[in-house]
Amino acid sequence: MHKALHQVLGNESLSTNTFKLIIERENLNFRAGQCVNLGLPNSGINREYSTYSGEKEKKLEFLIREVEGGDVSPALRKLKTGDTIEIDGAYGLFTLPESKPEETSYVFVATGTGIAPFHGFIRTGLNLNYTLLHGTRLNEENYEIEHYDRQRYIHCVSQEKGGNFQGRVSDYLRQNPQGSEKQYYLCGNRNMANEVYDILREQGVSGSNIITEVFF
C-alpha cells in the first residue's frame, strides 16, 4: 500500500464549510470510490477521505468538510500550494464492478460531502446510466454541480428553498421510487444510510443491490 508525502497544488473553497484539496498524484493508484488517509507530516493524526478525482486524472482531489474543533480538517483547510501532506492508501470496496459497469442502471444517494465517490465514478469517464440524489441542508452545497449531467442530478435541499426538491433524499425516494432492479450506492451519514436502506427494502430492492459507505 502507498504511503508517502505529497505536495499540495491548490486549496479551493466550495462553500462556507467545504473545500477541495488538490494534491500531486505521483504514483498513487486507486479505484474510484476508494479512500485514503490524509494527515499532516509528523502529527500522528490522520483522517479517512474518499477520493474525489477520477482514476485517470493527473491530480488527486478531495472534497472535505471543515469540522469545527476537529483535529484534522481545520488544519487541512489552511494548507497552501507547496505544503506537504501525508497520504496512506488507497483502500476500500465502495467501487463499481470491474466488468461492464455501463450495462447497469445506478442510483447514487449522497448527503453532503458523501457525493465525493460518485464524483469520482463519473469523472472516471465511464458511460454510466445513473441518477444522482444529493441531499444537503443549503443550496450552496451543490459542489461543482456543472460536473454532472443536469438531467441526472437531483439536489434535495432540506433547510431552505431551492434545489430540485424541497426535503431530504429519503423523502424524495419515498415519493419517487426508482425501481427494484437498479443498483443502489449510498454514501453519507449513518442515519441517512439506514433510513434509505429500509425504504429501498420496502420498495422491493434486494439487499444485495444496496451498497453503503458511512462517513459518520
Side-chain angles (χ1 to χ4, degrees):
M1 188 179 291
H2 178 97
K3 184 172 184 177
L5 293 177
H6 291 239
Q7 189 173 56
V8 175
L9 300 176
N11 196 336
E12 300 176 10
S13 183
L14 298 184
S15 77
T16 305
N17 298 318
T18 308
F19 59 101
K20 179 173 71 172
L21 194 60
I22 307 163
I23 302 169
E24 198 172 48
R25 179 164 178 167
E26 295 182 355
N27 60 345
L28 175 67
N29 291 316
F30 68 93
R31 291 190 61 205
Q34 288 190 309
C35 299
V36 304
N37 276 315
L38 297 181
L40 299 177
N42 305 316
S43 70
I45 303 172
N46 55 40
R47 288 290 180 275
E48 184 179 90
Y49 294 100
S50 289
T51 48
Y52 184 65
S53 41
E55 291 175 12
K56 300 165 189 164
E57 294 183 25
K58 294 180 180 178
K59 301 172 185 176
L60 289 174
E61 295 183 346
F62 297 92
L63 181 66
I64 301 171
R65 182 175 181 272
E66 183 177 3
V67 178
E68 193 173 339
D71 291 325
V72 175
S73 60
L76 295 180
R77 189 160 201 176
K78 293 174 185 171
L79 289 174
K80 297 180 175 64
T81 301
D83 288 343
T84 55
I85 188 168
E86 189 170 77
I87 297 182
D88 189 0
Y91 52 87
L93 301 174
F94 193 73
T95 55
L96 293 174
E98 290 199 55
S99 62
K100 300 185 178 177
E102 67 277 2
E103 293 183 3
T104 304
S105 293
Y106 297 94
V107 180
F108 301 143
V109 186
T111 49
T113 56
I115 199 171
F118 304 135
H119 183 270
F121 290 168
I122 293 160
R123 297 288 281 186
T124 294
L126 300 169
N127 187 24
L128 297 177
N129 178 12
Y130 72 91
T131 299
L132 173 55
L133 308 180
H134 186 205
T136 70
R137 292 170 300 166
L138 307 175
N139 287 309
E140 70 162 4
E141 294 166 334
N142 61 352
Y143 319 115
E144 298 192 302
I145 190 173
E146 68 276 6
H147 289 183
Y148 307 103
D149 181 339
R150 293 302 302 277
Q151 303 303 310
R152 300 176 182 271
Y153 175 92
I154 299 166
H155 189 200
C156 303
V157 183
S158 62
Q159 293 190 7
E160 61 184 15
K161 290 185 177 179
N164 306 105
F165 179 81
Q166 181 78 47
R168 300 183 300 165
V169 288
S170 52
D171 301 325
Y172 183 88
L173 281 168
R174 279 197 187 91
Q175 297 173 32
N176 302 277
Q178 298 296 298
S180 60
E181 300 306 311
K182 295 182 179 178
Q183 192 79 32
Y184 290 81
Y185 280 70
L186 321 179
C187 187
N189 69 67
R190 189 177 304 278
N191 291 339
M192 178 279 283
N194 290 340
E195 187 177 9
V196 168
Y197 182 89
D198 289 343
I199 292 168
L200 294 175
R201 297 293 283 127
E202 288 167 10
Q203 292 177 350
V205 180
S206 165
S208 62
N209 281 10
I210 306 171
I211 299 169
T212 61
E213 177 95 319
V214 174
F215 269 24
F216 49 88

